[in-house]
Structures are given as C-alpha cells and as structure tokens.
Amino acid sequence: MKKIVFITMLWLLQASLASAAVPKAELALTALNSAQWPAEYRLTLTVPEHHHAYLDAGEENAYLPVAVDPDAKLAALHLAITHMQTPGGVYDPAVKATVLRSQGDFVLTLERLDGEPKSAPLALDVRYQLCNDDTHVCYRPQTAQVNLALPAAASAATETAPESASLNDRLMALFKANQNNTFLLLGLMFLAGILSVATPCVYPMLPITSIFIVNRANGIADKEKLHALAYVVGMIGTYAALGLMAGMTGGAFNTFMQSGWVNIGFALFFGFFAISLLGYYELSFLQNEVYSLDQHSAQVKGLTGTWLMGSVAGLVISPCVGPIVFALLLQVADQIAEKANALTAMGQQLTFWDKLGVAAQGSVLMGGFGLGVGLPFFIVSIVKFKKLPKAGYWMNKIKYAFGLMILYFAYLYFAKGMGVFGVDAAVTLSLALGLLAVWVAVVHCGVLSLLPHDSAPNQKMHRYCGVLALVGGVWLLVSGLGRTPIIPTVQANAQLADCAVNSTPAIEQEAGISWHRNFAAAQKVARQTGKPIFIDFYASWCANCKAFKEETANDARLNQALREQAVAVKLVDKEPEFEKFREHPEHRLLKIGLPYFAILSPDGKLLWSGTDYKATDKMISVLADSGQRQS
C-alpha cells in the first residue's frame, strides 16, 4: 500500500513539475471606452524573460502569431472586432519573423453586428505561442482569457441614423435596431408566407381548395367560415410545432454546426432547394405520402377533418413551398441556437423551461409564416371570388426570388464551413464564383454538348462565352482548392488508409532519409540491423521542428548519420504513438513543449534525449557511439 501511495505521489509530482515548467504570458486589460458602442479596450501582453511570442507567421509561414478571439466566438454573440492595433515588435533574422519580447499593447475596437448583447462581463480568448530564446524550445499554443465589461444597453436615440443620413442609411439603421425584434421578424415571416402562395404551383390551388372547404359545410353559411378558420388553424399549428421543434434542438444544432463538413453539407442542401425553385427540376419530396394523408383526412367529417386537412397541407403544401419551409426552419434553428449560446456565454444556466421560452420564439415565427400561407385560403373561401387575378409570369418572379434567397443561404453556410477549416474569405468567394461559372458554362451554355454545323453566329458566340466561363471557373476552383487545407488532409488520410490496408509501415522520404511513421515497425528494423532508433517528435505548430527538418537536409553529416547509422522515426503530435511516449516518465519533457528528440537502443532503452534542434553534433556522436557498441 505504501508503495502504491509513493508511486502515485511521484507521478503527481512529475506532472506538476512538467506543468510548472511551461512558461505563461501575463495578460492585462484596460477599458479605454466601455460606456458606449463602439467600445475600445487595450490588452497588454507581457512575455516572460528570455522568451518571445510571434506577431506574424514569418517568411515561411511557420509560426502561430498572437490571435485575439481565435475561434471567432464573438460572432455567435453578435459582436465583432472591427479594428485592432498591434505592437510593432522587432524583426528577428534568426527566425525570419516579427517577434514580441517583454511587453506589447493590442488596442481593439469592439462593435455590435446586430441586436443588443446583454451587458455583462464577456470572456475574450487570446491565443499565443512562446519560444525560449536560449534552449530554442517552442511550447504548445496556450489560450488566456480576459473579461470585457460591455457598454450598457443603448437607448433608442442612439440607434437611429442622424438627420443628415440618406434614406438607405436610415433603413439600415432601423433594420439593425430591430433585427432581434420578434414582432418585426413575425411580420417578415408572415409576408414570406403570403408571397409563397403567389408561386405557380400554389396559386392555382386557391380556388380548388376553397371550393372543397366550402363544400364541407354542406351549404350552411355560418359553418363555411368555421371550416375555413379550422383549415387555417390546422396549417398554423403545424408550422408552429415545426418551429418549436427547431428551437428546442437549437443547442444540439449549434454544437452540430461547429463542424466544417456539416456546414458544407447544409450549403449543398440549400443549393439543392434553390435550384429546384429556379425551375431546373421539380421537387416532389414526400408528395405521395402527403397526398395519402390528405385523402384520409378528407374522409373525417366535420371541423376535425377540415382541421386535419389544414395540418397535413402545412407539412409540405407543394413542391414550391417545401424548400422555403425547410430553409426557414433551418434559419430559425440557427438563430435560436445563437441566442441560447449567447445567454450561456454570459454565464446564465438555462433550464428546460428557459430553453422552452427561447424556443417559443421559433414557434411564433413559423406560426406567422403559417398564417401568411393560410390567410389567402381563408379569404378566398369566405369572400368567394368569382375571378382571381390571372396567373402569369409574375408568379415565376416570386418563385425565382425565393430561389435566389435560398441560394444566398447556401453561400452563407458554405462560407461558414470553409471558415471553420481556416480558409480565407477571398478563397471562399473564389471557389463559389468558380462553381457558378462552371454551372453557367455547362447548364446555360451547353459546352458539353455538340454544336450543329449550321449553327447561327449568335449560337457560336454563346458557346464561346461558355468555354471562357468553363476555363475561368475551373481555374478559380483549382487555384482556390490549392489554398485550402482540405485537399492535403484528404490525400494524407488516403495514404494512411492505403498503409493500413496493405499492412505495411508508413515511410516518408525526406532529403534521402526514410522516416518511419510506425514505431513498432521501426523497432523491428532496428533489431534486425542493430542500429539505434532516432525519434523526431514533430508538430505543425512547432516552428523549430520545421527548422530541424531543414537541418536534416542542409547538414551533410547529420543527413548521413540519419540515413546510414540510425533507423529514423517521426511521430506527429496528437497521434496515438506520440501520446503514448508523452505519458512515459522518461519522456516527460514532451509535456512541456517541442521540439524533442530521443535516441533509443534497438530494445527500447533510452540512450539520449534533448530539446535543442541545433545540438546536431551531440546527436551524431550518440548515434556513432551506439553503432560501435552494437557492432
């Protein structure tokens, strides 16, 4: 028992020492203007002595600079840093980057994107990476927090545009001041419902449905109004229930939407709906099932049957309204999720009833949409118009407007997904324009179909423009994808998958050195050859790890030693074998930072370890001595 206690205490001591050995920067906050928007703050970052932080990525894009709000959490709270002044720093030729030593001030301006965030301390994240000037050790990136005091709620006067502002500026100010206004959003949803009825696949249903509703009253005038009202109430109830479900799933939805691939999937989802509304194909999602439910509802007599008919019609009333409903539901879920996330970030613990109250807004909004859809059916049934306005091309314009709106939603989710992957906004726009250009070339200009020999000059010009669009679109896509981390990640995963399938050790060739990626396979080779094992523990965030990679290529003696006198192994941060070594007491320096190197005998005994990537002479000497002992 005493032995177990001793071992446990020793392990805790080692863990605490390793943790204490990691230096930390100090972060101080000074509020320059926290009384009104836009707010202004000064963040003072103090770097420990004999250490430095990075202010840029360096000439080789190898470093992690100081970043304020690195995970863009402010956007979920409807806040944004619109301007930030960074300290000058000094250029260090050794690392080819601008570094911060001692102390530096970051002055930032914080503004609201929309709505009124709650006045409460806000936790702001600041990420930084420290490196030691003497030992050349780079530590894992760390995140510190400071609490910002937000300005008090602004009065209505501060939200209105000045008298000299243009009409457009006043409208934008009015929209921003009321963007979280439930009544305004309810009005917009109601308007969307009315406009959705004025689409070519819903509008012709008005007289037919109204006649059917009136006939259910069996000629009794008073009951005609009741049946029409029951139909509309059923439709409103369906949409309100869907809105409540979307709101209640907001928390899980918000977590779900943190994935870049999920956001891109939703972008494709919206694009699929948008193309349908733009008239390229008809969407008949669940139409047969809905028709069957409608037939069964019609067989139920009385107001109950009429109410059921309205409820079923509210599910997917037509191929035109279906995409609009799904798009609005996702938007409602996203907005409710952001609101719940913002309340949680402000320190409020949301109970089930709190969540239900927040989600009720989604029910109200979708109920407004249902009212907009159902009101025309109610009016036509009661007033009994003998002749409705003639259907025409004007309905297609409304349908196309909805299609363009949902296509815009698709781009927003695409941009959000690419942002999760760290892709620049300009690259995202380039990819979107490339997709659009290819679509225009293939669908509208028909570049993949043969052109008749007797085609007119305007047809040839049309085809020529399509070819130009195709070439430009492909160029934008290829150049854009080349600047994203998605393609390299996919290729790396494919290589690892091939290695797993073939049951062969993964080996990377760099400057003539065969780096094993599997320690067990490398140890097997070492036992067969009698050579020591040299392990390079590597991470993409470690600048000096990349510097050592250059040393292995430029230093002829080191390169030869790793090629001829050792079995070289490279283990990457976060991989299982890396973490296994990190937990081993002999390699506790891995808990502090990188780079870290180890030389083992073929049977796994530690011969030497160190953190200085410039200690190449020592590495070569240990490898040579170990080889002589084995021989």
Side-chain angles (χ1 to χ4, degrees), residues 519 532-533 535 537 581 584-589 596-610 622 626 629:
F519 178 76
I533 305 171
I535 307 178
F537 294 88
F581 274 93
H584 198 283
E586 286 186 335
H587 305 282
R588 57 182 177 274
L589 289 177
Y596 177 71
F597 312 96
I599 300 178
L600 310 180
S601 64
D603 57 1
K605 182 181 178 181
L606 180 63
L607 302 177
W608 173 86
S609 64
V622 173
S626 176
R629 288 196 299 268

Side-chain angles (χ1 to χ4, degrees), residues 233-277:
V233 169
M235 188 174 291
I236 295 174
T238 296
Y239 288 121
L242 292 174
L244 183 64
M245 291 172 58
M248 287 300 292
T249 58
F253 183 82
N254 188 58
T255 304
F256 191 56
M257 291 300 293
Q258 300 302 314
S259 168
W261 290 113
V262 170
N263 279 278
I264 292 176
F266 273 100
L268 296 175
F269 185 71
F270 276 114
F272 175 73
F273 283 153
I275 294 172
S276 171
L277 288 175

